[in-house]
Amino acid sequence: GHYGRGIWSLVTGQEVRRLEGHSGAVRSVAVTLDGQHIVSGSEDKTARKWSLASGREVRQLHWQFGELYSVAVTPDDQQVVSGGQDCTVRMWSLGDADDVRRLAGHAGPVTSIAVFPGSQYIASGGIDMTVRVWSLASGEELRRLQGHFGKVNCIVVSFDGTYIVSGSEDETVRVWSLASGKQVLLWMEPHTVKAVAITTDGQFIVTGGGVKVRVWSLVSGQLVRELEGHEGLVNSVAFIPDLI
């Protein structure tokens, strides 16, 4: 099968680079803050670091105990955080060191990872229907957010670190306060929620999962827009900051 990743120009709409190497489906990608590298996580049990300039693989991180479902890079570009089939959160060095830290607690595979601004905390969501917050420094579980009645498919953290947003198989989007650990907003969707994203100013959240993309106000808690056009299910969403 073909397991490459394509890089596309937003200006021309053309593919400008293709990254080849994985032997299994690529489940997640992340870009370093300096814009120099891409990290990918795959069902082939590897996370790989690629040079954006050359398109070459510059580092491969192998985990023998299961597939990787989600990857994120810390804001200092020093570590990649992954979640996967083995029910743990893993922290890998993006440099030459092979150190790996293992954060255990989920009762099922970890499906989604997010890193807070400032690199102090990690959030993870899993098949066990929970969202968990971890200390990046100590690896301690700080919060366990419970309320979903189905697998957590996706999570995102607000840019000020105040809120965590999660989407689930239970057809809900939930907004949680980091400070209190409480759920502060609940939105019902007519389908499984596969993707969530948040604007840099924290005003709006976008969700995907069905054929429509929905935009919600984090201020009013109301649905403000539905975007139509897709003929298949939406699996990923993102904001382009300079167009918002």
Side-chain angles (χ1 to χ4, degrees), residues 84-214:
Q85 192 176 26
D86 71 344
C87 311
T88 67
V89 176
R90 305 271 172 175
M91 297 165 58
W92 318 69
S93 169
L94 273 177
D96 296 328
D98 291 324
D99 56 311
V100 178
R101 292 179 60 196
R102 174 179 176 271
L103 311 183
H106 279 285
V110 178
T111 54
S112 188
I113 294 288
V115 180
F116 282 75
S119 300
Q120 290 182 297
Y121 309 112
I122 301 166
S124 60
I127 287 179
D128 63 3
M129 302 182 288
T130 69
V131 176
R132 302 182 190 226
V133 180
W134 313 80
S135 165
L136 191 62
S138 68
E140 178 187 1
E141 182 183 314
L142 303 176
R143 295 227 181 269
R144 187 176 304 183
L145 311 179
Q146 296 176 293
H148 281 295
F149 295 97
K151 176 178 74 171
V152 177
N153 288 322
C154 48
I155 55 175
V156 68
V157 174
S158 64
F159 284 80
D160 63 1
T162 303
Y163 299 110
I164 303 168
V165 185
S166 56
S168 169
E169 294 280 343
D170 66 8
E171 303 183 351
T172 68
V173 178
R174 298 172 193 253
V175 181
W176 312 82
S177 164
L178 175 64
S180 68
K182 304 289 187 181
Q183 178 184 300
V184 295
L185 283 172
L186 168 66
W187 296 315
M188 303 295 296
E189 295 264 10
H191 49 68
T192 292
V193 181
K194 293 286 190 181
V196 291
I198 190 167
T199 52
T200 54
D201 62 7
Q203 298 289 304
F204 300 100
I205 292 169
V206 63
T207 62
V211 296
K212 294 180 181 180
V213 174
R214 289 180 169 84

Side-chain angles (χ1 to χ4, degrees), residues 6-18:
I7 302 172
W8 306 79
S9 168
L10 281 174
V11 178
T12 66
Q14 301 298 309
E15 181 177 324
V16 296
R17 201 169 302 286
R18 182 170 292 269

